[in-house]
Amino acid sequence: MKNILIHAAGDEGLTTRIESALAIGRRFGSHLSFLISSPYQQFIAADPFGGVYLAKEQLAQAQIADAELEKRLRAELEREDVPWDIAVADGDALSTMALAATLADLSLVSLGAADRRGRHASTIAADLALTVPVPVLALPVEAPPIDLDAPVMVAWNGSPQAASALRAGVALMRDAASVTLVTVGDDDGRVAAEDALRYMSRHGVHGELRREAKGMDASEEVLVRVADEIGAGLVVMGAFGRSRLRETLFGGVTRFMLDVAPAPLLLMH
């Protein structure tokens, strides 16, 4: 966790991302890299006759907004004791974050604001988790910054994705008040839960196994209930994709957890 990449945008989740990045940076001696994504190509338009036009006024406004965001970030970060840098990249948030994440140990993004049903709006968190080979920490905008001392829940189904998430997240679990590995139903998958606990223990993380019967509730509903019961400050889970269509790329458990997010989610595919 030495190189932390943070999505920098003027949205309501920025403060939580900054504070969470600082907490992780102080704990692990990390360098924080804030990335402002500026898709300037959106200001280039074409007419039916083949002409190309630049929306100069809108482009200028976007550049001013980026400069103001960078100035705000610098003002906040200059008071902190964690090394940092700020970069501006030309492109949409997903593509620029995916490229920058190739040399990062962790990427921080926000989930969208929750609606009246408590469901979070879609953000780049889902696509980024499937795109980059590094863990993605997705932070609910209405929640406080991540608490590295709070209990951790690991959603375990014995899959390679769950194992990847466990390996990626073990560093963030070392100071947790407790770590609970949760399985739902009888299918342990390809990797036994006991092997996962043994792996964690060799990293100094001593967790407990909690087997939950599926019953009438869906697996994702059981996971949310357990996360609430233990007061999880972080949920570690594999990111699963099963459809070729982007809008249905995430199925079942992952999509539901992204929608509800009982705590910050550490996702890995």
Side-chain angles (χ1 to χ4, degrees), residues 20-84:
S20 295
L22 288 170
I24 295 170
R26 293 190 187 101
R27 187 68 58 94
F28 297 101
S30 313
H31 182 97
L32 310 183
S33 295
F34 292 83
L35 184 64
I36 301 173
S37 304
S38 299
Y40 292 132
Q41 67 270 19
Q42 68 179 323
F43 301 106
I44 300 176
D47 63 27
F49 304 102
V52 178
Y53 302 93
L54 177 65
K56 295 182 179 179
E57 182 177 346
Q58 291 85 346
L59 174 59
Q61 292 175 350
Q63 291 173 324
I64 291 172
D66 289 342
E68 290 177 346
L69 175 58
E70 184 175 358
K71 182 179 178 180
R72 170 190 168 187
L73 282 171
R74 288 186 181 278
E76 293 191 31
L77 295 169
E78 283 174 352
R79 302 190 298 266
E80 303 298 340
D81 56 352
V82 177
W84 53 272

Side-chain angles (χ1 to χ4, degrees), residues 100-123:
T102 56
L103 289 177
D105 300 311
L106 179 68
S107 296
L108 268 66
V109 298
S110 290
L111 296 171
D115 60 19
R116 290 179 298 177
R117 299 178 300 160
R119 299 297 179 92
H120 293 88
S122 297
T123 63

Side-chain angles (χ1 to χ4, degrees), residues 20 24 106-110 135-139 146 172 234 264-267:
S20 295
I24 295 170
L106 179 68
S107 296
L108 268 66
V109 298
S110 290
V136 174
L137 181 60
L139 300 161
I146 189 170
L172 295 177
L234 177 67
L265 304 176
L266 186 74
L267 303 167

Side-chain angles (χ1 to χ4, degrees), residues 242-249:
R242 64 183 185 188
S243 172
R244 289 176 296 178
L245 297 176
R246 176 173 291 272
E247 60 270 21
T248 57
L249 189 60

Side-chain angles (χ1 to χ4, degrees), residues 2-269:
K2 294 297 184 180
N3 300 280
I4 312 299
L5 176 67
I6 305 99
H7 178 221
D11 60 289
E12 60 182 311
L14 179 59
T15 298
T16 299
R17 293 197 300 278
I18 293 174
E19 293 301 321
S20 295
L22 288 170
I24 295 170
R26 293 190 187 101
R27 187 68 58 94
F28 297 101
S30 313
H31 182 97
L32 310 183
S33 295
F34 292 83
L35 184 64
I36 301 173
S37 304
S38 299
Y40 292 132
Q41 67 270 19
Q42 68 179 323
F43 301 106
I44 300 176
D47 63 27
F49 304 102
V52 178
Y53 302 93
L54 177 65
K56 295 182 179 179
E57 182 177 346
Q58 291 85 346
L59 174 59
Q61 292 175 350
Q63 291 173 324
I64 291 172
D66 289 342
E68 290 177 346
L69 175 58
E70 184 175 358
K71 182 179 178 180
R72 170 190 168 187
L73 282 171
R74 288 186 181 278
E76 293 191 31
L77 295 169
E78 283 174 352
R79 302 190 298 266
E80 303 298 340
D81 56 352
V82 177
W84 53 272
D85 65 75
I86 303 171
V88 180
D90 183 11
D92 63 86
L94 178 60
S95 61
T96 55
M97 285 288 291
L99 178 60
T102 56
L103 289 177
D105 300 311
L106 179 68
S107 296
L108 268 66
V109 298
S110 290
L111 296 171
D115 60 19
R116 290 179 298 177
R117 299 178 300 160
R119 299 297 179 92
H120 293 88
S122 297
T123 63
I124 65 170
D127 289 332
L128 189 63
L130 285 186
T131 303
V132 298
V134 298
V136 174
L137 181 60
L139 300 161
V141 295
E142 68 276 6
I146 189 170
D147 180 359
L148 296 173
D149 299 314
V152 173
M153 185 185 86
V154 180
W156 185 258
N157 64 354
S159 68
Q161 291 89 345
S164 294
L166 178 63
R167 291 197 307 272
V170 71
L172 295 177
M173 306 178 198
R174 287 176 182 161
D175 296 323
S178 63
V179 178
T180 305
L181 193 83
V182 181
T183 66
V184 182
D186 299 327
D187 185 8
D188 278 342
R190 295 164 60 182
V191 184
E194 289 77 10
D195 291 336
L197 290 174
R198 190 174 300 112
Y199 172 85
M200 290 163 51
S201 68
R202 289 170 181 166
H203 283 271
V205 177
H206 303 289
E208 65 176 50
L209 176 60
R210 179 165 170 172
R211 295 188 183 275
E212 292 285 326
K214 191 169 183 179
M216 298 297 293
D217 295 328
S219 297
E220 54 266 34
E221 294 173 327
V222 174
L223 291 174
V224 170
R225 173 175 57 78
V226 174
D228 289 338
E229 287 178 1
I230 69 174
L234 177 67
V235 173
V236 177
M237 61 182 296
F240 299 88
R242 64 183 185 188
S243 172
R244 289 176 296 178
L245 297 176
R246 176 173 291 272
E247 60 270 21
T248 57
L249 189 60
F250 278 77
V253 175
T254 310
R255 181 71 267 169
F256 185 86
M257 295 297 282
L258 283 163
D259 286 346
V260 177
L265 304 176
L266 186 74
L267 303 167
M268 186 77 180
H269 183 59

